[in-house]
Every structure is written in structure tokens, then in C-alpha cells.
Amino acid sequence: MFSRLSRPKAAALCALPAVALIAVAALAPLPFTVARPGTTVNVLGERDGKPVISVEGARTVPSDGQLRMTTIEATGPDADVRLADVVDGWFRTDEAVMPTDAVYPSGDDVEEIERYNAEQMRQSQDDATEAALGYLGRSPEDVKVTLRLADVGGPSAGLLFSLGIVEKLGTDLAGDTVVAGTGTISPEGAVGTVGGVALKTRAAARDGATVFLVPRAECRDALTELPEGLRLVPVTSLRGAVTSLEALRTGKGDVPSC
């Protein structure tokens, strides 16, 4: 025979599996990545004592302003992220919690991911150079551009690289302003989305930017917790970004907004 349990005892017994599951989840690694605002780099300046952008075969001009590419810092694909980290990240405005496979290629080990990101950066630099020289009507056979930023991976600096090349070759874009931004670039000058823009706006504001160029498709994300005093300028192409920056600098012409 089985004796009938009282309601409190039955509830306690039913709760035991749930408690056990919560305890396991709290201790087990989870497939999430925690990201934070990363470093920014002025592509018109120097990195480790060398110019980020060097040009041979054409005259360059100095710049008073800054064009800062932005990054995020994320826990590695093999990082031990626990439930407490995820919950903490959800309630903080200076962190974001994302599925690991949304940040890193799935199925690859750490070394493969590092090689992939490095190749993405190299390709981004080549595309940025082609887009900038094409916009300016310059021949790559006469103008050689070298970009030095090997310690940052991924393609999201493409737009800022292109703008930096355009400014180096004589088109004043930033004026005396600190401009930051993000976005991939195609050889034809189309700007693509990148992700993590809400964290990148925080990195930009932290490092003195007052203008942030954002892929138009990511305006909504960029408006999330937008730092005070930072103006968003949506872009879809290198030409549009140049036009907007020139309008901001001269005070003439319309500047789009998110």
C-alpha cells in the first residue's frame, strides 16, 4: 500500500527535479558569448608607432580630425560562460549576451576561427582599398595602399578604411571632428551590416566621437541605449558616407538620420 502524501510534501518532492535542473544549469557551461565595447582605432593616425594607412605613388594630406573604427570584445568560443554570466549580461547596458554560433563560425576550433577572422580582415582591407580608389578614380597600378591593423579580426572596419584612404588622398571628411563608425565594404562601395552596433556606439562615445556612421539596416540596434551626444548617420554606400560627412563639415546639404 502507498500512503497519501500531504500537499506540502508532494509539492516539495515535485520541486526537487526543478531545483536539480537549475543547479546543473548554473554550473554547466552554456553556448553563449558575452560581448563588451572594445577598442577604437583612428585610421588616420598611427598604431604601434606606424601609420595605419600608408600610401605610395600619390600625395597625401594631414588630417585634423579622426576617423575611428570600432570593435567589440567577446569571450572566446571555448570560454566557460555560466548561467550567472548570462543573467548578469542581460541586465547590463555595457554588455550583450549572444549565442556563440552567432559570433563565431560553428564547428571550428579556436585556431581555425582566428585564421578565419584574420583572413576576413585581410579581405576587408583589399575591398576597402579597391572601393576607395574606385570612388576617387585612381588606378591601383599607380597608387599602392598599405593598411596595418593585424591585431583586429573580421570585416567590420571596411567602411572606415575606405573613408580613411579617401581622406588621406585629399578629401577632407572629418574636419576637426572625431567620427567613428562601423560597416563592411564591398569592392563596389556598398556598406553591409556587422552586428554589435549598440556596444560599438558606447566605445565610440567613450573615445570622444560625436558622430557615428552606422549601416542603415542597423539603425534600430544602434538607437538602443545610444550614448548622449552621439549623432547617428545611417549609410548604405561609401559615396553616401562621403556626402554626409562633407555636409556635416561644411554645414551645407542634408544629413540623414536614423
Side-chain angles (χ1 to χ4, degrees), residues 15 83 133 190 225 241 254:
L83 181 62
L133 295 182
E225 302 291 341
D254 296 328

Side-chain angles (χ1 to χ4, degrees), residues 200-213:
K200 291 178 180 179
T201 59
R202 291 188 166 273
R206 179 200 64 210
D207 291 351
T210 57
V211 175
F212 191 91
L213 302 174

Side-chain angles (χ1 to χ4, degrees), residues 86-106:
V86 174
V87 173
D88 182 53
W90 278 337
F91 288 97
R92 294 179 59 165
T93 60
D94 61 341
E95 288 186 353
V97 177
M98 297 174 282
T100 299
D101 59 8
V103 180
Y104 299 104
S106 59

Side-chain angles (χ1 to χ4, degrees), residues 25 61-62 67 69 76 79 88 181:
V61 297
L67 292 172
M69 57 148 290
D88 182 53

Side-chain angles (χ1 to χ4, degrees), residues 40-115:
T40 72
V41 178
N42 177 23
V43 299
L44 300 175
E46 295 185 346
R47 178 83 162 187
D48 298 329
K50 296 181 179 180
V52 175
I53 300 175
S54 298
V55 178
E56 297 177 23
R59 185 179 68 88
T60 60
V61 297
S63 303
D64 295 325
Q66 298 180 30
L67 292 172
R68 304 193 76 89
M69 57 148 290
T70 55
T71 69
I72 61 172
E73 294 178 356
T75 53
D78 58 348
D80 193 4
V81 176
R82 305 296 174 121
L83 181 62
D85 302 314
V86 174
V87 173
D88 182 53
W90 278 337
F91 288 97
R92 294 179 59 165
T93 60
D94 61 341
E95 288 186 353
V97 177
M98 297 174 282
T100 299
D101 59 8
V103 180
Y104 299 104
S106 59
D108 294 334
D109 61 28
V110 176
E111 290 185 357
E112 289 176 332
I113 289 172
E114 289 177 349
R115 285 195 296 269

Side-chain angles (χ1 to χ4, degrees):
M1 289 183 65
F2 296 96
S3 60
R4 181 175 295 177
L5 294 174
S6 66
R7 181 170 295 179
K9 289 182 178 179
L13 286 175
C14 290
L16 285 176
V19 172
L21 287 173
I22 293 172
V24 170
L27 296 175
L30 298 175
F32 289 98
T33 294
V34 180
R36 304 175 181 85
T39 59
T40 72
V41 178
N42 177 23
V43 299
L44 300 175
E46 295 185 346
R47 178 83 162 187
D48 298 329
K50 296 181 179 180
V52 175
I53 300 175
S54 298
V55 178
E56 297 177 23
R59 185 179 68 88
T60 60
V61 297
S63 303
D64 295 325
Q66 298 180 30
L67 292 172
R68 304 193 76 89
M69 57 148 290
T70 55
T71 69
I72 61 172
E73 294 178 356
T75 53
D78 58 348
D80 193 4
V81 176
R82 305 296 174 121
L83 181 62
D85 302 314
V86 174
V87 173
D88 182 53
W90 278 337
F91 288 97
R92 294 179 59 165
T93 60
D94 61 341
E95 288 186 353
V97 177
M98 297 174 282
T100 299
D101 59 8
V103 180
Y104 299 104
S106 59
D108 294 334
D109 61 28
V110 176
E111 290 185 357
E112 289 176 332
I113 289 172
E114 289 177 349
R115 285 195 296 269
Y116 174 82
N117 284 337
E119 177 56 34
Q120 287 282 294
M121 171 57 87
R122 284 192 294 272
Q123 186 62 53
S124 174
Q125 293 176 348
D126 292 342
D127 292 346
T129 300
E130 185 173 345
L133 295 182
Y135 169 79
L136 294 170
R138 301 288 190 100
S139 170
E141 296 178 2
D142 301 323
V143 181
K144 179 182 178 182
V145 178
T146 302
L147 302 173
R148 297 183 181 90
L149 206 60
D151 58 339
V152 178
S156 66
L159 171 62
L160 271 293
F161 278 141
S162 286
L163 291 171
I165 296 168
V166 171
E167 172 137 347
K168 283 274 189 178
L169 289 172
T171 304
D172 187 5
L173 300 177
D176 58 359
T177 303
V178 180
V179 176
T182 190
T184 64
I185 198 78
S186 74
E188 297 75 30
V191 175
T193 58
V194 291
V197 292
L199 296 176
K200 291 178 180 179
T201 59
R202 291 188 166 273
R206 179 200 64 210
D207 291 351
T210 57
V211 175
F212 191 91
L213 302 174
V214 59
R216 180 177 287 279
E218 294 182 291
C219 267
R220 178 173 294 183
D221 291 341
L223 287 167
T224 305
E225 302 291 341
L226 182 67
E228 185 177 353
L230 187 64
R231 178 174 183 172
L232 290 179
V233 178
V235 294
T236 59
S237 67
L238 173 59
R239 184 172 298 276
V242 170
T243 300
S244 292
L245 289 178
E246 288 179 329
L248 281 172
R249 181 180 57 81
T250 62
K252 299 176 182 179
D254 296 328
V255 180
S257 60
C258 287

